[in-house]
Structure formats: C-alpha cells, structure tokens
Amino acid sequence: MAELRISAESRDLTRVERIGAHSHIRGLGLDSFLEPRAVSEGMVGQTSARKAAGVILQMIKEGKIAGRAVLIAGQPGTGKTAIAMGMAKSLGLETPFAMVAGSEIFSLEMSKTEALKQAFRKAVGVRIKEEAEVIEGEVVEVQIDRPAVTGAASKTGKLTLKTTEMETVYDMGAKMIEALNKEKVQSGDVIAIDKASGKVTKLGRSFTRSRDYDAMGPQTKFLQCPDGELQKRKEIVHCVTLHEIDVINSRTQGFLALFTGDTGEIRSEVRERVDEKVMEWRDEGKADIVPGVIFIDEVHMLDIECFSFLNRALENEMAPILVVATNRGITTIRGTEYKSPHGIPLDFLDRLLIITTQPYTEDDIRKIIDIRCQEEDVEVADDARLLLSKIGVETSLRYAINLITSAALACQKRKGTVVELRDVNRVYALFLDVKRSTQFLMEYQSQYMFNEPGDGEASEDANAMIY
C-alpha cells in the first residue's frame, strides 16, 4: 500500500429524497448571531436547544476542535432527531454527517467496536487538493460525423469552444463523443474537460442563451462566458471520508466495495497507514481534514463495551464531533446491573455537553401542523387544523401528524379538495392513539392470550401507561 488510492467516483451518487418525518427540516433556523428565529427552516420552538446546537455547529465549522460530545435529552416527540437533522443540513454536503441508531450496532455482521469505528471514520472527511490541466469554455458547435456504413469506422467529430478572447476547433474521437452525449452537451453550454482523464463536466449555460427557454429546466445555472485562454491549470478538490479511503485500500475491487456494501472488518494496519498518509498530506498542504458529525440515536441501547470504546475513541485527534440522543430517564446501563441517568455510565456522561428539549406548546404544535400540511401538499381547513392541534396536545404530536395524510385520503374518498373537520373526525375514530388503545386493552384484557384472571399487577401497569 505504498501508493494510497483515492476515488472521487464514490461521491457521484444520485440523491433521492421522499417525504419523511423530518424532510421539512432545512437547517437550525438561526440568524447570523446564532439567535433562533421563532419559525425558520422548518424548525419551530425549542429555542434554547437550537441556540446550543448552533454553538456546537460553529465549533464544527471552524474544524479546530475534535472529540467533543453532545447529548440531546428529552421526552419522546420533542424534536431531538429534528435538531440533529437541522445540524446536518446546516453543515452542507462537504462536511460529513454519519447517522446510526444504537440498536443497529448489534444487527451488523461485524463486531460492535468495528461497527462504531467505521461509523466514526465515515464522519471524518479529507479534502484533497490537486492541480490539473483543464479546457474550459463555451460550446459554439458540436459536429458529429457518422460513418456512411454501420460498423465501418468509429464516429468522429469536431467541437468548437470559445472564451472571451479566443475560439478553437478540437477533433474528437469516439470516447469524447460518448462523454459529451452522456452529459447532454449542446451549443451554449459552458463545459470543462479534464485533459488527463477526458472527463467532461457541464458547469452551466451561457447568459447569451438565457432566452432559449425550450433548452433549459428549472435547475439550469447561468454563467458568464469564461475569459482568458481555453487551456488553464485549475485546483481540483476531491472530498472523501476516511472510511472510503479505508475500504478502497483494503479491498481488491477498490471503491466498488462501497457500492456492494461488502466492506467487512478492516484491519487496523490499513487504518494506521491511511492515517499516516493523510497526516503527511496535511503537513505538505495537499489535504485538509474536515471533522464532521456522528449522530447516534437511541444511545441508551449501547452496552458498557460500546461506551468504553467511545471513551477511548473521543481522545483521538482525528475524532469527529459526537452527538447522541436519548428519551430515557434513570435506567439500567445495558450489560450491567447498575442504573444511571439516561442509561449512560457516569464517566462517559461527564464528557457530554447536555442539551435538553422541552415539550411543545399548543402554539408550537399548530405551527408544526401547518408546516407538515405544506410539506405533504395537503390543503386543510382552518377548523380542521385547530382540531389536529388539539389532538396533538391531548395525545402526541406524532399521532396528529400521522392523521394528516389519513385525513387527506378520507377527503379524496368523498371527492373533496380540502380536508375538513369531518375528515379528521373520521380518521380519529378509525385509528386509536396510545391512551385510547390502553383503555381498550384494559377493558378487554381477559379476551387476550396469556391473560391470568384476577391479575391485579397487569391492571396497575396498564393504568400507569395512561398519561
């Protein structure tokens, strides 16, 4: 492994997004002074928690501090994961963010510490800089000469590029024509061609072609025609994670192991040599280390061995910022018989900056319902939204949000366009919340399996569940 292999191709993945529980989150909703706005970027309420998260975010962006840990603790449904997602969105794509559930560690086909180590290294990025010869200009004309007889000869063609100062015609072979077709390059596009690899990148469209409305989509980016010479030296930056470098250098198939998911356990010797090389690049100014964020949800599900590993891992100078979340109070530390706050050992708890989340007010729930209706593209009448807010206060916010799409389907069934009070009432009667389900269970518990007649303890436990 004398020559460390890096692949930028592992980043060229299409991002697919669906409407999910936190798809409306766009950031933490803070202003330039890290003061939380009342409603912003999908975030509502939790002002003190968001402000604290903003301070941590600033620490991450400066990238000078590693191995800090934060605990987000609060009741279920108070926005702990939403705050973590807001941090991820605020960091941008270049700062790595790895998300893992505590229970997930035990279901992987590798040891617990290896799974945590891989998650940690996914959250540390390396920004590698290199200079390359590129040809950059605006496409004037693409001319492809097809052979008269099929299969007689490969396709050839000419590409005319221009800048503000010059214009040149380049002869193209079959590979370059294929690269242009793959990027759907046409006249008026501003492109860059890497001379070493022949890779074509479409940068945008020229301002002079901004009126060609039939040749552009809503995501079209307009650029000025490049100035200077066509051929120039540019600094290209590749952003990869330490885990990606580990996998590329530990598998014969290289970066393809990232797509198959068959990363397996990675030898410590490989990681040590990767770290040495990355440190060497950093000292030479060829690379920058970008410490990101690893978010572990349900941290109370980790056992004492995992917590011991985290204690040691946070002391590494290349460690990311660790953010953990839990909704448990004083509970047993998994793997021991001892109880501790949040199910976390006291020595690890001492390392954590603790952010608490508070229950949402009725006004906050109303605003969240409004945002979710907009996100799910459901038109809801004012009185129906008020009812959903009341249901959220009496039961839970999650239950009220789940009723939005259900009520929209009930509205669609009666061929309506706006969700009304009767639609919400209908789905409220169809789907029970925890409180009504527990009452039903108490009433008919004798008809369920494994019920012992006269079992008073079961009734007391059921009563304790109602809130």
Side-chain angles (χ1 to χ4, degrees):
M1 210 188 80
E3 194 66 36
L4 199 63
R5 301 195 299 276
I6 303 291
S7 174
E9 295 180 44
S10 57
R11 286 290 186 187
D12 296 336
L13 297 172
T14 305
R15 294 177 66 83
V16 179
E17 289 193 8
R18 298 172 65 194
I19 296 174
H22 300 100
S23 57
H24 62 285
I25 304 295
R26 306 282 183 267
L28 284 173
L30 305 174
D31 61 18
S32 56
F33 299 102
L34 299 182
E35 289 295 328
R37 303 185 189 95
V39 181
S40 180
E41 296 181 328
M43 297 295 287
V44 176
Q46 304 296 351
T47 52
S48 59
R50 284 194 283 143
K51 188 172 182 178
V55 174
I56 301 298
L57 200 67
Q58 196 66 31
M59 186 193 303
I60 297 164
K61 285 180 178 176
E62 290 180 7
K64 295 178 182 176
I65 299 176
R68 295 298 169 93
V70 180
L71 168 65
I72 305 175
Q75 301 171 23
T78 52
K80 297 182 295 297
T81 309
I83 290 172
M85 293 297 292
M87 291 175 72
K89 297 279 185 177
S90 300
L91 286 169
L93 293 175
E94 282 199 0
T95 305
F97 184 91
M99 191 170 181
V100 63
S103 53
E104 190 182 326
I105 301 296
F106 300 92
S107 60
L108 298 171
E109 293 180 356
M110 59 181 77
S111 67
K112 294 173 287 188
T113 53
E114 174 66 18
L116 283 169
K117 198 173 291 183
Q118 289 192 13
F120 259 67
R121 290 178 77 84
K122 282 178 188 175
V124 179
V126 183
R127 195 182 287 122
I128 301 159
K129 295 170 278 189
E130 63 173 355
E131 281 197 348
E133 291 275 351
V134 295
I135 299 168
E136 188 176 297
E138 180 186 334
V139 179
V140 178
E141 185 184 8
V142 181
Q143 183 184 344
I144 299 172
D145 304 322
R146 289 178 173 79
V149 182
T150 307
S154 59
K155 287 189 287 187
T156 57
K158 294 182 184 299
L159 172 67
T160 308
L161 289 177
K162 72 169 185 178
T163 64
T164 54
E165 296 179 10
M166 62 187 295
E167 183 173 316
T168 308
V169 180
Y170 295 94
D171 291 325
M172 296 190 297
K175 283 189 176 180
M176 182 58 71
I177 292 170
E178 187 182 341
L180 290 172
N181 288 336
K182 187 179 177 182
E183 289 291 320
K184 298 177 181 176
V185 172
Q186 56 188 331
S187 59
D189 289 338
V190 179
I191 65 170
I193 304 170
D194 187 347
K195 282 193 72 178
S197 63
K199 184 181 178 183
V200 177
T201 307
K202 186 154 67 170
L203 305 175
R205 193 150 180 83
S206 173
F207 272 114
T208 56
R209 301 297 187 101
S210 60
R211 294 185 178 274
D212 295 351
Y213 56 88
D214 57 335
M216 65 184 188
Q219 304 299 323
T220 305
K221 184 179 178 181
F222 289 105
L223 302 169
Q224 295 284 359
C225 180
D227 55 359
E229 294 187 0
L230 278 161
Q231 188 169 316
K232 56 190 78 171
R233 290 188 70 83
K234 285 191 74 174
E235 187 180 78
I236 297 174
V237 179
H238 303 290
C239 295
V240 290
T241 65
L242 284 178
H243 175 67
E244 287 169 347
I245 303 175
D246 293 343
V247 173
I248 290 163
N249 288 277
S250 66
R251 292 287 177 271
T252 53
Q253 65 266 45
F255 73 91
L256 293 175
L258 292 166
F259 297 100
T260 60
D262 183 24
T263 58
E265 298 214 7
I266 298 169
R267 300 192 315 275
S268 58
E269 298 83 23
V270 172
R271 287 200 175 103
E272 286 170 10
R273 298 193 68 176
V274 166
D275 290 347
E276 285 173 14
K277 198 68 178 176
V278 169
M279 289 296 188
E280 185 183 317
W281 286 344
R282 187 185 66 174
D283 295 340
E284 292 172 0
K286 293 181 181 177
D288 295 323
I289 295 171
V290 186
V293 177
I294 174 171
F295 175 61
I296 304 178
D297 207 355
E298 306 171 351
V299 71
H300 53 266
M301 292 299 294
L302 299 183
D303 61 12
I304 191 69
E305 293 174 23
C306 294
F307 287 119
S308 298
F309 169 82
L310 291 176
N311 262 327
R312 181 69 186 87
L314 287 174
E315 294 173 356
N316 192 323
E317 64 172 312
M318 292 177 72
I321 303 290
L322 173 66
V323 179
V324 298
T326 180
N327 55 18
R328 300 295 171 92
I330 296 173
T331 187
T332 306
I333 303 167
R334 192 169 178 180
T336 71
E337 295 179 356
Y338 300 101
K339 289 194 173 184
S340 176
H342 313 296
I344 299 172
L346 292 177
D347 60 336
F348 184 67
L349 200 61
D350 194 41
R351 291 178 179 269
L352 302 174
L353 296 170
I354 301 174
I355 300 173
T356 57
T357 54
Q358 305 298 325
Y360 286 111
T361 64
E362 186 174 348
D363 187 47
D364 289 340
I365 290 174
R366 174 65 189 269
K367 289 172 184 173
I368 294 169
I369 294 289
D370 290 344
I371 292 169
R372 288 303 303 181
C373 290
Q374 188 177 359
E375 178 71 15
E376 297 180 28
D377 199 17
V378 176
E379 195 173 344
V380 184
D382 289 341
D383 55 352
R385 290 191 190 199
L386 186 61
L387 178 58
L388 283 170
S389 304
K390 294 285 185 186
I391 290 171
V393 173
E394 294 296 325
T395 58
S396 71
L397 175 60
R398 289 170 177 166
Y399 174 71
I401 289 173
N402 284 333
L403 291 184
I404 295 172
T405 305
S406 307
L409 291 172
C411 174
Q412 189 180 342
K413 182 73 175 173
R414 63 174 179 80
K415 294 183 172 56
T417 55
V418 179
V419 173
E420 296 176 0
L421 211 58
R422 52 180 167 168
D423 300 315
V424 177
N425 283 325
R426 184 180 177 189
V427 294
Y428 181 75
L430 284 173
F431 303 107
L432 303 182
D433 58 273
V434 176
K435 189 175 181 180
R436 286 183 292 155
S437 178
T438 307
Q439 288 174 339
F440 180 86
L441 187 65
M442 289 173 60
E443 189 174 346
Y444 295 99
Q445 63 179 328
S446 60
Q447 298 176 24
Y448 282 82
M449 291 281 290
F450 306 115
N451 178 69
E452 295 181 13
D455 190 353
E457 291 181 8
S459 300
E460 289 175 13
D461 292 341
N463 278 317
M465 285 180 65
I466 299 177
Y467 50 87

